[in-house]
Amino acid sequence: MTDADIATDTSAGTSADASADIDIDIEALRQRALTTLTTARDRTTLLTSCVDEPELTAQVSPLMSPLVWDLAHIGNQEELWLLRAVGGRDAMRPDIDGLYDAFEHPRPSAPRCRCCRPRRRGSTRPRCAAG
């Protein structure tokens, strides 16, 4: 079954065990996720490698968080959903979950959050996400 078939298959919901109706190659799925995430990270690094610290930490609009906060938020969400929820792993840094919770740090307060300082000049990894 192809991805398109899975997306349009309406019979899966009628079975008591829908997963039994679909033949999934788990290792191929893991490899696809890894490749996709690696490609996205490489693109992000390419796009942000020329951005200086003041630009990384600036809030250019009240509607947007500083870029460094958004990058760290993405990393934290990857850990929450992929490593913890799907992979069943323990939290790497549970102490920072609240820092990247958009409900705890709405956009106007994000620039004052301690997470908005890059670890070193030219790095897009925030201090608190460095591990």
Side-chain angles (χ1 to χ4, degrees):
M1 186 175 258
T2 67
D3 291 345
D5 295 331
I6 292 170
T8 58
D9 184 14
T10 57
S11 66
T14 61
S15 169
D17 183 10
S19 62
D21 295 339
I22 302 172
D23 184 25
I24 298 175
D25 181 347
I26 298 298
E27 193 52 43
L29 188 59
R30 284 184 180 135
Q31 188 58 48
R32 183 174 175 189
L34 175 63
T35 300
T36 302
L37 287 169
T38 301
T39 300
R41 288 178 186 146
D42 289 346
R43 287 181 187 160
T44 300
T45 299
L46 180 66
L47 291 169
T48 58
S49 62
C50 62
V51 180
D52 292 327
E53 184 174 336
E55 293 166 321
L56 283 172
T57 59
Q59 184 173 12
V60 297
S61 163
L63 299 176
M64 299 174 66
S65 301
L67 181 57
V68 71
W69 189 93
D70 285 329
L71 293 171
H73 174 77
I74 291 167
N76 183 249
Q77 292 302 301
E78 284 182 5
E79 180 192 337
L80 284 169
W81 292 103
L82 296 175
L83 298 180
R84 295 187 211 174
V86 175
R89 296 186 183 173
D90 291 334
M92 293 169 47
R93 294 283 311 273
D95 57 308
I96 66 170
D97 287 347
L99 291 174
Y100 299 112
D101 183 333
F103 294 105
E104 287 187 39
H105 295 284
R107 295 186 196 288
S109 69
R112 292 184 297 279
C113 175
R114 73 177 175 93
C115 62
C116 290
R117 294 184 309 274
R119 185 171 178 78
R120 63 182 182 282
R121 183 167 174 72
S123 173
T124 56
R125 290 182 64 190
R127 292 174 194 265
C128 50

